[in-house]
Amino acid sequence: MVHENETTVRGTVEAPWRIGTRGSLLALTQAGHVRDALIANGQQAELVIVKTAGDQNATDPVQKIGVGVFTAALREELAGGTVDIAVHSYKDLPTAQDPRFCIAAIPARQDPRDALVARDGLVLGELPAGAKVGTSAPRRSAQLKALGLGIEIVPLRGNLDTRLSKVTSGELDAVVVARAGLARIDRLDAVTESLEPVQMLPAPAQGALAVECRSADTELVTILSALDDLGARAAITAERALLAELEAGCTAPIGALAEVVESLDDDGRVVEELSLRACAAAIDGSDVIRASAVGSVADAAELGRALARELLELGARDLLSVTEESAELTDSSNPSPMENSPMSERSERITGTAPSGAVAPSASEVQP
């Protein structure tokens, strides 16, 4: 480990930027893209593996373990100076901002859609009644149930390879995961159907990365900002503002997707606008409330907040309240073994084992 002193210059061969990441193949691939992008810009960087609560507890539902299950340990390492940069799947971050940190870059976004991986090449509409479909996300579960296909939803945790193996082994008929994750690890060949937003809206910020550093590190903020994609930032800003206005966490059954689109102004000129679609679902699939809006790219946050207020007026709070009550009952009857035990954190530096890839980072979802 490089010891800090007055003459240490980060970003050099002697003192590369230290990028904190989870240790899964997917997380290493994502962080590896950020590392490669920095190197391409003349900055030296290496990866440091950080163990998170979500890695230590691979069986309980994410919503049961707690907010920030995949990000808290990374942020503590960042705050403590063990790492200089943290790479998150943006959707895993709590909606409340932490003034200690700055999201210095949101790289170009991967395809945010959900993907079906099913036996025998089946698409969703071809699955027979009673088919077992695995997913760990309440959002996916609720929207799948709302389609009324008569399928059985089976809770699912683990890395992508583990999830896919449930289908190849015959334990499950299908799983639903983030398409971006499969793209990241070159497994798009496994996808039998990419689910369109009219069927299933993705999680807010799905397919996007958050490249985070300490707010006080102004020089690093400037360096990382070169990796920022303005379209991705506008879309994620709108989606996350909607989630925050709804006061819903990253595991709530909320779907949202913003896209920069072209339209014509009153003078017939082509202008860019931000289109935002969102939904709130009852956890049992009995009701789904949908709404959409179009606004200025520059007003992305307000667009998200306004659409959230519309959802609330349409009754979204009632659906979310039912979901929260159901989760509380589940938690009280099945307490997590992690609740009263300190989280053990472990860091490990690695320099050459993470997969390399294209310079421009895209994104994926670590825990669907």
Side-chain angles (χ1 to χ4, degrees):
M1 178 175 178
V2 176
H3 294 282
E4 302 285 356
N5 58 58
E6 293 180 359
T7 61
T8 297
V9 177
R10 284 287 171 195
T12 62
V13 173
E14 295 77 16
W17 296 114
R18 300 158 301 180
I19 303 174
T21 175
R22 297 175 61 215
S24 69
L25 172 61
L26 184 54
L28 289 172
T29 303
Q30 294 176 164
H33 280 293
V34 174
R35 175 201 58 198
D36 294 347
L38 285 171
I39 292 173
N41 288 347
Q43 299 288 323
Q44 296 302 310
E46 64 184 12
L47 305 186
V48 177
I49 295 178
V50 177
K51 196 81 169 180
T52 71
D55 298 312
Q56 295 180 65
N57 185 342
T59 55
D60 286 331
V62 173
Q63 62 272 23
K64 184 177 178 181
I65 306 174
V67 175
V69 58
F70 300 111
T71 60
L74 283 171
R75 284 182 147 186
E76 288 310 308
E77 297 288 335
L78 186 58
T82 306
V83 300
D84 308 296
I85 301 164
V87 177
H88 311 283
S89 282
Y90 207 144
K91 76 171 200 65
D92 292 332
L93 284 173
T95 53
Q97 294 186 356
D98 189 324
R100 298 176 297 170
F101 309 120
C102 170
I103 307 297
I106 304 174
R109 189 180 195 177
Q110 256 286 6
D111 188 333
R113 290 178 296 174
D114 289 302
L116 182 79
V117 177
R119 63 173 174 82
D120 305 323
L122 298 176
V123 298
L124 190 60
E126 295 173 336
L127 291 174
K132 294 182 178 181
V133 179
T135 176
S136 64
R139 170 191 60 83
R140 290 192 184 117
S141 176
Q143 292 187 76
L144 284 170
K145 291 174 182 176
L147 293 174
L149 300 175
I151 58 180
E152 178 185 348
I153 306 300
V154 179
L156 184 66
R157 284 283 310 276
N159 61 37
L160 282 174
D161 282 334
T162 298
R163 295 171 190 227
L164 298 184
S165 70
K166 301 286 187 181
V167 178
T168 55
S169 69
E171 183 177 341
L172 296 174
D173 295 291
V175 296
V176 179
V177 297
R179 189 183 189 279
L182 296 174
R184 275 295 191 184
I185 62 172
D186 296 324
R187 291 299 311 273
L188 284 178
D189 60 304
V191 176
T192 57
E193 183 180 12
S194 295
L195 301 178
E196 296 301 326
V198 292
Q199 295 173 286
M200 182 177 296
L201 275 171
Q206 182 162 298
L209 289 181
V211 183
E212 189 173 49
C213 66
R214 292 176 290 272
S215 299
D217 293 345
T218 54
E219 179 184 359
L220 182 54
V221 171
T222 300
I223 291 170
L224 292 175
S225 67
L227 310 182
D228 199 52
D229 182 273
L230 296 180
R233 183 170 287 274
I236 300 311
T237 297
E239 294 168 18
R240 296 274 295 183
L242 177 139
L243 193 63
E245 187 75 9
L246 290 172
E247 297 182 350
C250 60
T251 59
I254 301 294
L257 179 62
E259 300 170 286
V260 177
V261 297
E262 291 186 346
S263 63
L264 297 177
D265 65 12
D266 294 338
D267 297 322
R269 294 172 298 191
V270 176
V271 296
E272 287 189 337
E273 293 184 310
L274 195 62
S275 170
L276 176 61
R277 291 173 281 177
C279 73
I283 197 65
D284 62 358
S286 60
D287 195 8
V288 180
I289 298 172
R290 301 178 184 271
S292 62
V294 177
S296 167
V297 174
D299 296 327
E302 180 50 37
L303 179 66
R305 289 190 289 266
L307 191 59
R309 291 192 291 268
E310 182 176 341
L311 285 172
L312 290 171
E313 290 174 1
L314 292 171
R317 173 49 58 194
D318 292 336
L319 297 188
L320 296 179
S321 296
V322 170
T323 298
E324 290 163 0
E325 289 170 6
S326 298
E328 288 172 2
L329 287 173
T330 300
D331 288 347
S332 62
S333 60
N334 297 291
S336 168
M338 300 286 290
E339 286 178 358
N340 298 314
S341 61
M343 180 176 65
S344 172
E345 297 176 4
R346 180 173 59 84
S347 299
E348 174 189 353
R349 172 176 284 103
I350 59 173
T351 57
T353 57
S356 298
V359 167
S362 53
S364 66
E365 179 184 74
V366 173
Q367 281 292 332

